Amino acid sequence: MTTSNLRIACVMVGLPARGKTYISQKVCRYLTWLGINTKVFNVGNYRRKLYGAQQEHSFFDPSNPIGIKQRKESANAALEDMIRWFNEDQGIVAIYDATNSTKQRRQWLHEKLTKEHVQVFFIESICQDESIILDNIREVKLSSPDYVNIDPEEAVSDFKARIDHYKDQYETVTEQNYTYIKLINVGSQVIINMIRGYLESRIVYYLMNLHTAPRKIYMSRHGESMFNLQGKIGGDSALSPRGVLYANKLPDLIKQNLGDKELIVWTSTMKRTIQTSGLLQYPKMSRKALDELDAGMCDGMTYEEIEEKYPEDYANRDDDKFNYRYKGGESYRDVVLRLEPVIMDLERQGNILIIGHQAILRCIYAYFMNYNQEDLPYIKIPLHTVIELTPKAYGCDEKRYKVDIEAVDTHRPKPNKAQTLKKKVSKQELSNGATNGNGALLGASGEIVNDIGSPILPISPQLWPSNGATK
Ligand code: ATP
Ligand code: F6P
């Protein structure tokens, strides 16, 4: 078994309104950010497409034969698509989002998937707190296509009746030969069984860090630095006079938005972020992992100087900015890898302000806002602007506060593909077709700088029993 044919299906389990879709979306976002091909298959969407939305609760009654048949057909259509996706689109992790609340349903899924050499990982969410369930119904179910134009109180009571139908047949996961995690009362208790392999344990660790308490995530770059003014990248310069003005204004801006609520501040270990945090009266922590992308040999140069001195590197970066690694420095891919523990820690936090750098904040922002790797290095994170993210059920709301102090613009737009191609051809002519034989471009030192398409996490190879069953 090689790393490339490791395939995992995360099968959600739980009564309605237990956060299964929320968890599915979060896991999908996290793994996609790490470059792992992940997709959610939501059986409810198949049901609505095949048989229409707005089915009332009796559709979910376990003694309703038409409902049973149509729900099974919806489950089957989602499963078939999922298997097709694994086989045709090189899927690595699929998330099968449905209640899967009976042993019989789980056995059916387990058999079908193991036959296809897909490992099955059940993720069960149990919540006994009725007030959380009611909040969940009000927050997400009333706006679902199932309840368009329905009076909210009627919708709540119909949804509760739907939950009761599921309760009649719900069997919690006890199958000892299955791989599973049970999250009880939003993770206040966690039970795991038969977790195998690196990727499954990463998912377990990620799930253990999640919480749903309301909070704000603020992000700001440092105030304008002397290097920003001179158009130079990297370095460890101090703030410019305008950067100092920004640092002076930052505490009021945060206070106006947050009031007296608690906040912690993270900075990098670089002068410009620490200086920017200087007047903030909150607990602070500087983290090396938040230091700006290391530009290696190009550190301290302007983009124009890089283009002149290292034209090949300059063109390579434009060609694939996410994967390009500065000689002696880092790529955006490297930065995502070093930020992974920061993301885990961020998930555990309450209100937080991160004072960071352009490339670093692009990576963190991309995680929360679901940007792909190609667009990530071009996200606009201007100087003298605070970005406020408020996590919501299936994503984040965003506000930006621009402080009225001028600053240089350090954003370089994405070059047009035709131009990059032209440059790349002449660059290849120049280097006399220097490739590694597989077409991958070599850096001037002969190092392969692109490992395009491979996941960022080292996924350990996994032995799969030859009969395809776990026991
Ligand atoms: P359905 O079966 O109807 O699709 P669901 O289980 O998928 O329901 P979601 O739509 O994901 O439920 O519910 C979203 C809500 O669940 C959000 O408001 C979120 O805050 C909350 N939530 C997230 N995680 C959990 C959890 N572990 N336990 C309970 N609620 C949670
Ligand atoms: O220009 C400011 C800066 O933070 C540099 O130190 C860093 O190299 C650069 O931005 C990262 O942005 P890009 O990846 O667009 O070059």
Side-chain angles (χ1 to χ4, degrees), residues 23-208:
I23 294 166
S24 305
Q25 300 289 340
K26 294 256 343 172
V27 171
C28 184
R29 205 143 45 82
Y30 166 66
L31 296 177
T32 304
W33 183 73
L34 289 169
I36 295 167
N37 190 12
T38 306
K39 189 168 173 178
V40 177
F41 294 82
N42 179 297
V43 176
N45 289 341
Y46 282 80
R47 166 180 58 80
R48 281 182 278 271
K49 213 165 139 198
L50 291 170
Y51 304 110
Q54 306 213 302
Q55 303 278 3
E56 62 170 44
H57 69 83
S58 58
F59 180 82
F60 302 91
D61 186 333
S63 61
N64 172 352
I66 298 175
I68 292 175
K69 184 168 172 287
Q70 297 189 339
R71 279 163 51 213
K72 182 74 197 273
E73 279 165 4
S74 311
N76 196 43
L79 179 64
E80 279 178 6
D81 270 0
M82 186 165 108
I83 291 171
R84 205 171 304 121
W85 174 79
F86 273 124
N87 293 332
E88 293 174 10
D89 295 339
Q90 288 76 50
I92 299 181
V93 180
I95 304 169
Y96 187 82
D97 181 12
T99 51
N100 303 313
S101 50
T102 62
K103 286 190 173 158
Q104 192 191 22
R105 166 66 66 86
R106 292 193 290 271
Q107 191 183 356
W108 170 71
L109 286 164
H110 194 266
E111 277 173 12
K112 289 251 182 194
L113 287 162
T114 46
K115 222 179 262 169
E116 297 289 332
H117 299 284
V118 175
Q119 299 181 21
V120 187
F121 177 17
F122 291 99
I123 301 177
E124 181 175 11
S125 175
I126 298 170
C127 183
Q128 285 121 351
D129 184 332
E130 286 305 320
S131 67
I132 295 183
I133 305 307
L134 194 59
D135 285 350
N136 290 353
I137 296 175
R138 291 194 189 283
E139 191 187 352
V140 291
K141 301 304 167 191
L142 299 187
S143 53
S144 135
D146 289 358
Y147 293 112
V148 176
N149 296 329
I150 308 249
D151 168 68
E153 286 318 307
E154 205 182 305
V156 169
S157 79
D158 183 85
F159 201 83
K160 284 181 165 172
R162 184 193 295 194
I163 295 176
D164 288 340
H165 290 312
Y166 277 98
K167 276 187 183 163
D168 291 344
Q169 47 175 353
Y170 180 40
E171 297 165 291
T172 187
V173 180
T174 50
E175 298 91 323
Q176 288 309 304
N177 56 332
Y178 290 173
T179 293
Y180 65 78
I181 179 169
K182 280 175 194 255
L183 300 162
I184 301 163
N185 292 330
V186 204
S188 54
Q189 191 188 357
V190 178
I191 297 169
I192 55 173
N193 189 61
M194 289 243 305
I195 299 298
R196 303 156 300 171
Y198 186 78
L199 192 48
E200 278 172 4
S201 44
R202 289 318 295 178
I203 297 171
V204 166
Y205 184 44
Y206 179 72
L207 292 172
M208 287 173 71

Side-chain angles (χ1 to χ4, degrees), residues 221-222 228 231-235 272 292-295 299 303 317 321 326 332 357-359 362 377-378 410-412:
R221 285 174 69 184
H222 50 80
N228 291 148
K232 291 181 179 172
I233 66 168
R272 54 196 187 274
E292 181 56 311
L293 182 148
D294 181 351
D299 191 82
Y303 291 118
R317 190 163 202 255
K321 195 173 174 189
Y326 281 108
Y332 272 90
H357 304 265
Q358 179 159 250
R362 279 179 180 148
Y378 297 98
T410 59
H411 183 264
R412 288 181 63 240

Side-chain angles (χ1 to χ4, degrees), residues 137-377:
I137 296 175
R138 291 194 189 283
E139 191 187 352
V140 291
K141 301 304 167 191
L142 299 187
S143 53
S144 135
D146 289 358
Y147 293 112
V148 176
N149 296 329
I150 308 249
D151 168 68
E153 286 318 307
E154 205 182 305
V156 169
S157 79
D158 183 85
F159 201 83
K160 284 181 165 172
R162 184 193 295 194
I163 295 176
D164 288 340
H165 290 312
Y166 277 98
K167 276 187 183 163
D168 291 344
Q169 47 175 353
Y170 180 40
E171 297 165 291
T172 187
V173 180
T174 50
E175 298 91 323
Q176 288 309 304
N177 56 332
Y178 290 173
T179 293
Y180 65 78
I181 179 169
K182 280 175 194 255
L183 300 162
I184 301 163
N185 292 330
V186 204
S188 54
Q189 191 188 357
V190 178
I191 297 169
I192 55 173
N193 189 61
M194 289 243 305
I195 299 298
R196 303 156 300 171
Y198 186 78
L199 192 48
E200 278 172 4
S201 44
R202 289 318 295 178
I203 297 171
V204 166
Y205 184 44
Y206 179 72
L207 292 172
M208 287 173 71
N209 284 307
L210 297 183
H211 72 78
T212 56
R215 61 160 172 167
K216 304 252 184 234
I217 299 156
Y218 296 99
M219 291 180 220
S220 167
R221 285 174 69 184
H222 50 80
E224 182 188 69
S225 71
M226 293 310 290
F227 260 33
N228 291 148
L229 263 185
Q230 294 156 12
K232 291 181 179 172
I233 66 168
D236 192 14
S237 65
L239 297 183
S240 73
R242 295 193 300 205
V244 172
L245 287 179
Y246 177 72
N248 292 345
K249 284 213 167 181
L250 195 52
D252 277 352
L253 196 158
I254 298 295
K255 185 102 187 153
Q256 271 164 22
N257 281 283
L258 197 68
D260 290 330
K261 298 200 185 87
E262 286 183 9
L263 176 83
I264 60 161
V265 180
W266 287 354
T267 67
S268 73
T269 62
M270 297 180 138
K271 257 185 231 142
R272 54 196 187 274
T273 61
I274 293 173
Q275 219 183 327
T276 307
S277 73
L279 296 177
L280 290 160
Q281 302 299 312
Y282 300 100
K284 291 176 219 166
M285 186 181 174
S286 26
R287 304 182 64 138
K288 183 87 184 131
L290 290 173
D291 284 0
E292 181 56 311
L293 182 148
D294 181 351
M297 275 168 47
C298 297
D299 191 82
M301 295 168 77
T302 65
Y303 291 118
E304 293 73 24
E305 284 166 353
I306 300 171
E307 185 171 20
E308 196 174 320
K309 200 161 173 205
Y310 305 115
E312 206 174 321
D313 286 75
Y314 191 80
N316 273 347
R317 190 163 202 255
D318 275 353
D319 186 36
D320 184 353
K321 195 173 174 189
F322 185 82
N323 288 292
Y324 170 82
R325 178 183 291 142
Y326 281 108
K327 285 198 200 84
E330 290 179 300
S331 63
Y332 272 90
R333 177 180 284 273
D334 295 330
V335 171
V336 165
L337 180 59
R338 92 161 128 96
L339 284 175
E340 200 251 353
V342 172
I343 291 295
M344 289 284 190
D345 202 355
L346 251 179
E347 285 294 354
R348 285 194 291 269
Q349 300 299 327
N351 298 319
I352 186 158
L353 164 62
I354 305 171
I355 303 182
H357 304 265
Q358 179 159 250
I360 297 299
L361 294 182
R362 279 179 180 148
C363 294
I364 297 175
Y365 180 90
Y367 164 76
F368 284 106
M369 302 306 278
N370 215 7
Y371 270 71
N372 63 37
Q373 294 182 343
E374 198 185 329
D375 294 330
L376 179 157

